[in-house]
Amino acid sequence: MFILCLTIQIAFVVSIVAIVYYFRLYKLHGISVKEWEEMKEDNFLMRELLNNLPIPTTVKDIKDNCNYLFWNKKSEDLYSVSQDDLIGKNASVLPPEICSAFQQTDRETIRSGQSNTFQHLILADGCEHVLNMYKQLLYYKGEPRWLISAAVDVTEATEKRCQLEQLDIQHRLLLKATGMKLWTWDLRRKEITWKRGGEGGTDRIVDADEHLQFILPEHRENIHRALDRLKRKETDFFDEEFLLRDEDGTLSWREIYGAVYQYDEDGEPVVLVGGTLMIDKRKALEQDLREAKEKAEEANRLKSAFIANMSHEIRTPLNSIVGFSSVLTMTDDMEEKKEYNQLIQHNNALLLKVVDDVLELSKLEAGDFKLYPAWFCLSDLVVESAAKCRMKADGKLDVRVDKPEQDYMVELDAQYVKRILSNFLSNALKNTQSGHIDIAYSMVDEGVKISVKDTGCGIPQDKLPLVFDRFEKVDSFVQGVGLGLPICKSIAENMGGTIGVISEVGVGTTFWVTLPCATAPTPQLQSEVLVDNLYS
């Protein structure tokens, strides 16, 4: 746009000089159309100069009803009106819209001496054009005499300017949305200029080598390799992710985009332009997606393991129940029938336990967890659970109880506490062939701690983090689907407690749980001996 305006001004000055020289040459005090025509041949140089100006130029005589004295070739091309049709006539012979625009700017020029306007006119091609029209009033002997006009069709330039403005808005919106910081990298001066966004921003220049030192070494090497590829002209664009340590010591992920903007005379890149993005959120999301993928794969693996375990754990007791039920009808021996009946009852209990565990875990995972806390004696519950464990151990193991001298009342959901203790004891029974099982509880800060210790085979250290995962079994030959301990963990967490395990291979395992609750001492209601007698 600036170049077009400069072209108009230069051509306009040339026009004025030519016209003034033309009229002064003949010392004209007044001129008619006829006299103008007669002088053409005598002034070939000036006529050709005006006629071949690169922009549409016209001259009007304001003393003669603003009739046209001159209408050059570019005016003919622009307005599609020939010189013969217009010389000696005024703008009224032009289309009404063009005539109105010309007359309005003429009046403005005569009033102020000059005008510079942009006119939107529909020309002979039927399209709207944007004309930059400059008009100047010329004086002769102190009186206004001629009106000289020059115009340039700036339609294309205006459209380009609008497109550039639109692109600039989109560019700023894109930078704002992405948070990209633009920069220019002068490879010769080793300077990086960071562009400040928004109006009134000031660019910031930093030393390139110092800036690169903040990038971790392994990532810095990637950027140097990318620059080498640019210098070898293997590529004209690079894109690298890197980890940068900020001045405060924090690490942040960034992604750099760059391209060669300028080469020197030897074809070496000397100036790069590009932008840098902060990608910490994207990296965190990528990590989350990786973890989610791993969890999904693990869930799929666990599902397959669960189906396999369930198939085995359900089929085994069912086969026993069906088989012994058939044999039961074939014998008349009462002792034999009693033995078969006990085996059927045992497998019924195993099958019921499997179904109960699956239903319990499903309920917990669905969020269907309701607590009904009430005061009860924890010693009674522990002693009762120990008695049941002794019955299942059938004299093979010594089941012992370690409780405080003073019994305590606790305010908890007794059924869930009993479920946790039952699963701990069931796990100890399955993994302990000889020795003892110790059940203990003690008062801790704002709650109670319950533990079950056995002298079983123990758990390898690398397996300890997995024991509370669903369907995980340290020993695949031990009966069970691997749901008891995950159920304990879910119950403990829903009650606001914590759960853990300590184990050593060949020595034994201790499972413990702490549950926050209100506690109060209570008189001993019954001794362990009485309970033992009751269950015996």
Side-chain angles (χ1 to χ4, degrees):
M1 188 64 71
F2 171 77
I3 296 175
L4 288 173
C5 293
L6 183 62
T7 303
I8 292 174
Q9 293 175 3
I10 294 173
F12 202 77
V13 170
V14 173
S15 303
I16 293 175
V17 170
I19 291 172
V20 171
Y21 177 76
Y22 184 81
F23 288 117
R24 285 185 177 177
L25 180 64
Y26 289 93
K27 301 180 181 179
L28 297 174
H29 300 281
I31 185 169
S32 65
V33 174
K34 182 179 179 180
E35 291 172 326
W36 176 270
E37 293 294 336
E38 291 175 351
M39 289 161 42
K40 281 184 178 178
E41 294 182 2
D42 297 329
N43 296 278
F44 177 80
L45 176 61
M46 291 303 163
R47 182 192 66 192
E48 290 301 310
L49 177 62
L50 290 171
N51 208 30
N52 289 284
L53 283 173
I55 60 174
T57 306
T58 65
V59 180
K60 293 180 179 179
D61 187 348
I62 64 174
K63 295 295 186 180
D64 187 15
N65 195 28
C66 284
N67 288 335
Y68 284 99
L69 296 175
F70 189 78
W71 182 271
N72 73 347
K73 292 179 181 180
K74 284 294 182 181
S75 296
E76 288 183 334
D77 296 339
L78 179 62
Y79 300 106
S80 298
V81 179
S82 67
Q83 295 178 354
D84 295 337
D85 293 335
L86 203 60
I87 298 299
K89 302 173 185 177
N90 59 28
S92 60
V93 301
L94 296 171
E97 183 185 4
I98 298 177
C99 175
S100 175
F102 282 10
Q103 288 176 348
Q104 182 180 352
T105 54
D106 286 350
R107 287 192 294 270
E108 173 64 27
T109 305
I110 293 171
R111 183 172 61 253
S112 60
Q114 67 177 19
S115 65
N116 186 8
T117 60
F118 287 89
Q119 300 293 329
H120 294 258
L121 301 175
I122 297 178
L123 301 183
D125 60 1
C127 299
E128 183 180 85
H129 292 252
V130 181
L131 304 181
N132 184 196
M133 191 173 294
Y134 188 82
K135 292 188 176 184
Q136 177 76 45
L137 188 63
L138 296 182
Y139 290 80
Y140 184 74
K141 291 188 177 182
E143 293 185 1
R145 182 60 191 274
W146 302 288
L147 194 153
I148 182 170
S149 172
V152 174
D153 188 347
V154 294
T155 304
E156 185 177 353
T158 302
E159 292 175 351
K160 294 295 184 184
R161 179 174 59 82
C162 292
Q163 292 174 1
L164 287 174
E165 289 176 353
Q166 180 181 354
L167 287 174
D168 181 63
I169 294 173
Q170 293 174 336
H171 176 255
R172 285 189 280 114
L173 289 175
L174 180 63
L175 292 179
K176 185 176 180 62
T178 60
M180 179 176 284
K181 305 297 184 183
L182 300 181
W183 47 261
T184 302
W185 189 345
D186 190 322
L187 298 177
R188 283 179 172 174
R189 302 172 65 177
K190 297 184 177 181
E191 290 180 348
I192 298 176
T193 303
W194 292 93
K195 303 296 181 180
R196 293 294 189 181
E199 297 181 1
T202 304
D203 294 346
R204 182 170 64 95
I205 300 176
V206 299
D207 183 272
D209 291 338
E210 291 181 2
H211 181 71
L212 290 175
Q213 290 303 313
F214 287 101
I215 301 174
L216 297 192
E218 59 271 24
H219 298 283
R220 192 187 314 139
E221 288 300 319
N222 293 338
I223 294 178
H224 284 310
R225 281 193 289 269
L227 293 177
D228 290 338
R229 290 195 298 271
L230 287 177
K231 292 177 181 179
R232 294 193 300 268
K233 296 185 178 180
E234 295 177 4
T235 180
D236 56 359
F237 175 86
F238 69 94
D239 172 12
E240 293 290 339
E241 294 179 357
F242 60 89
L243 199 56
L244 179 140
R245 189 180 301 277
D246 294 323
E247 294 180 356
D248 60 359
T250 59
L251 293 174
S252 61
W253 277 100
R254 304 188 183 185
E255 185 168 13
I256 184 173
Y257 301 87
V260 179
Y261 175 70
Q262 183 180 342
Y263 293 91
D264 62 12
E265 58 277 3
D266 298 325
E268 294 290 326
V270 292
V271 177
L272 308 180
V273 293
T276 301
L277 277 176
M278 305 289 289
I279 58 171
D280 288 314
K281 291 183 178 180
R282 191 180 80 193
K283 283 295 185 179
L285 180 60
E286 289 176 357
Q287 180 63 27
D288 291 343
L289 289 175
R290 281 193 293 269
E291 292 177 358
K293 178 176 178 290
E294 291 172 359
K295 287 181 179 179
E297 292 173 347
E298 179 66 11
N300 187 59
R301 186 190 68 79
L302 291 176
K303 180 192 71 174
S304 300
F306 169 69
I307 293 173
N309 287 339
M310 287 296 294
S311 175
H312 172 74
E313 295 298 329
I314 292 175
R315 186 174 63 248
T316 301
L318 275 178
N319 288 339
S320 298
I321 293 169
V322 172
F324 287 119
S325 297
S326 300
V327 174
L328 188 63
T329 62
M330 298 179 183
T331 181
D332 294 327
D333 189 329
M334 295 304 296
E335 289 298 325
E336 196 172 351
K337 282 187 176 183
K338 183 178 179 181
E339 181 181 356
Y340 292 155
N341 185 61
Q342 289 176 348
L343 290 171
I344 292 173
Q345 293 300 323
H346 174 69
N347 283 281
N348 281 338
L350 291 177
L351 186 59
L352 182 61
K353 180 71 166 55
V354 170
V355 175
D356 193 32
D357 282 349
V358 172
L359 293 177
E360 183 70 27
L361 186 62
S362 300
K363 185 172 68 173
L364 291 172
E365 291 191 344
D368 184 15
F369 186 85
K370 296 180 181 178
L371 289 172
Y372 299 97
W375 287 96
F376 66 92
C377 180
L378 184 57
S379 294
D380 290 349
L381 187 145
V382 170
V383 170
E384 178 185 342
S385 299
K388 290 182 179 180
C389 185
R390 288 193 188 98
M391 292 177 61
K392 293 179 181 179
D394 197 21
K396 297 178 182 178
L397 299 172
D398 185 14
V399 180
R400 304 181 301 193
V401 175
D402 179 14
K403 60 186 182 66
E405 294 182 1
Q406 172 68 56
D407 290 335
Y408 280 87
M409 299 287 289
V410 295
E411 189 179 21
L412 288 168
D413 190 315
Q415 294 303 317
Y416 281 121
V417 176
K418 188 180 294 185
R419 185 64 183 266
I420 292 174
L421 188 53
S422 174
N423 285 345
F424 280 177
L425 291 172
S426 176
N427 189 73
L429 285 171
K430 285 187 291 187
N431 292 282
T432 306
Q433 302 301 320
S434 61
H436 59 266
I437 296 175
D438 293 334
I439 309 171
Y441 83 88
S442 60
M443 298 299 109
V444 295
D445 293 340
E446 299 181 355
V448 63
K449 180 177 182 180
I450 304 171
S451 64
V452 172
K453 180 180 180 182
D454 64 55
T455 56
C457 58
I459 304 171
Q461 294 299 309
D462 60 329
K463 296 287 186 179
L464 286 177
L466 305 176
V467 295
F468 293 106
D469 292 345
R470 290 175 298 168
F471 318 126
E472 285 290 345
K473 296 172 63 176
V474 176
D475 186 350
S476 58
F477 295 100
V478 175
Q479 198 171 39
V481 292
L483 291 178
L485 293 176
I487 289 174
C488 292
K489 181 180 179 182
S490 295
I491 293 174
E493 290 177 347
N494 278 282
M495 296 177 73
T498 56
I499 194 169
V501 59
I502 302 171
S503 185
E504 184 178 348
V505 176
V507 176
T509 303
T510 302
F511 283 95
W512 58 265
V513 63
T514 58
L515 301 172
C517 63
T519 63
T522 185
Q524 185 171 349
L525 301 179
Q526 56 187 359
S527 66
E528 185 178 348
V529 176
L530 293 176
V531 175
D532 286 345
N533 293 336
L534 174 66
Y535 282 98
S536 63

